[in-house]
Amino acid sequence: MNNLPILSVSHVFKSFSNSTVLDGISFALKAGQCLALLGPNGAGKSTTIKICLGLDDDFTGTVDLIGFSIPEFGHLARQQVGVVPQFDSLDPDFTVFENLNFFARYFGIRSDEAASRARQLLDFASLTSRSDEAVKALSGGMRRRLMLARSLVNNPKLIFLDEPTSSLDPHARLIIWDRLKQLKQQGLAIFLTTHYMDEAENLADYVAILDHGHIIAYGTPKDLILSHVGEYVLKLWGENADMWVNKMVVQGKFSLCERRDNNFYFSGQAALRVNEILHSIRPAGIEYLFRPANLEDVFFSLTGRGLRDH
């Protein structure tokens, strides 16, 4: 397998209306890998995708996509790329099969080859039995699988997935995850944006967390969890939680922790220590949950828990 990056982004800066959107971000993605770009609303994720695809040429820095310099040769690079946008863009006037067959023609694929490719992709997406149905008859999960299938009609080397399982039920999400893992095993590179931290943790080889235009953390999900949070997290709440935590801090049993509303959060060694104390004295009016740390804990630790509206 070629060890050169499928996508390389180096020192990219982007400003808009005197505001810095991207502040020198850099990352790379190789064949057979999945990179998840995470960040709060307004962090710059969508702008990053547009720049990578050559759809925004107002930036400084270097972007190389499938061996083509972006944005100069974006039109050539996009011939070898698939895109699953956040919102459904299927043609409601076509059947399931026609959505794939006609889309393939946009890439100059011959009619017989396009039809063959469409049938293969319907099988991949488990939609063969729905081939002649109208798109509007499909469930949300089926439509997302069809969108994924459509992104593959040109045999791309890389696919961009923008919130691929947004609004899907857990079962439909698992089906999409399974298909994406198959594609990775076949050597396809995947660039993923998602608000589901478990999705990134399950699919991504590397995670980049983007906030205020900066990549504030980069690494494997496991490394990020261990380095920023630790192995465990304990969440504590209850009618006596405030009083009990303050008392334990004053007595030096453990140090201050993160508080959100009426919940207290402990991580790493502090989580282990608080769990031991709770097990031994079992205070009244206290409830708690002790669990392994995850990528969501990392995200909140780095970006905060406050609501972002922009």
Side-chain angles (χ1 to χ4, degrees), residues 139 141 165-175:
S139 67
T165 62
S166 178
S167 302
L168 296 187
D169 64 61
H171 181 66
R173 289 177 66 204
L174 289 175
I175 294 175

Side-chain angles (χ1 to χ4, degrees), residues 107-172:
F107 293 94
I109 300 174
R110 298 191 320 268
S111 59
D112 57 337
E113 184 181 346
S116 175
R117 182 68 177 154
R119 287 190 289 270
Q120 293 173 7
L121 290 171
L122 286 175
D123 183 60
F124 167 78
S126 298
L127 290 171
T128 300
S129 63
R130 305 278 183 158
S131 176
D132 297 324
E133 291 188 22
V135 166
K136 62 183 179 182
L138 301 182
S139 67
M142 292 176 182
R143 293 171 74 98
R144 294 308 284 174
R145 298 206 307 270
L146 183 57
M147 288 286 292
L148 176 59
R150 195 183 68 172
S151 75
L152 302 171
V153 296
N154 57 327
N155 285 312
K157 295 180 180 179
L158 164 66
I159 56 173
F160 288 85
L161 304 171
D162 191 4
E163 304 288 342
T165 62
S166 178
S167 302
L168 296 187
D169 64 61
H171 181 66

Side-chain angles (χ1 to χ4, degrees), residues 54-84:
L55 301 176
D56 184 338
D57 59 4
D58 185 20
F59 69 91
T60 62
T62 59
V63 176
D64 186 279
L65 177 61
I66 322 290
F68 293 100
S69 179
I70 301 298
E72 292 89 342
F73 300 102
H75 61 292
L76 296 176
R78 287 192 294 272
Q79 293 294 311
Q80 301 181 56
V81 169
V83 179
V84 179

Side-chain angles (χ1 to χ4, degrees), residues 148 161 176-184 190 203:
L148 176 59
L161 304 171
I176 295 289
W177 289 3
D178 178 68
R179 298 303 187 273
L180 293 176
K181 288 176 181 178
Q182 289 180 39
L183 294 172
K184 275 181 56 180
I190 298 174
L203 296 175

Side-chain angles (χ1 to χ4, degrees), residues 226-295:
L226 292 177
S227 61
H228 291 281
V229 179
E231 197 169 354
Y232 299 102
V233 165
L234 186 142
K235 175 183 175 182
L236 184 151
W237 69 98
E239 59 180 335
N240 294 330
D242 198 341
M243 180 180 65
W244 186 80
V245 170
N246 289 332
K247 177 182 176 182
M248 291 295 104
V249 169
V250 170
Q251 292 179 1
K253 300 294 185 181
F254 48 76
S255 59
L256 291 172
C257 62
E258 179 189 358
R259 177 174 181 172
R260 182 190 177 201
D261 298 325
N262 295 318
N263 299 314
F264 296 86
Y265 295 86
F266 301 86
S267 59
Q269 291 301 311
L272 288 169
R273 175 60 178 153
V274 175
N275 188 53
E276 290 174 357
I277 294 172
L278 290 168
H279 263 58
S280 64
I281 64 177
R282 299 184 181 280
I286 300 292
E287 296 183 71
Y288 66 97
L289 174 65
F290 180 73
R291 59 170 174 76
N294 56 43
L295 201 55

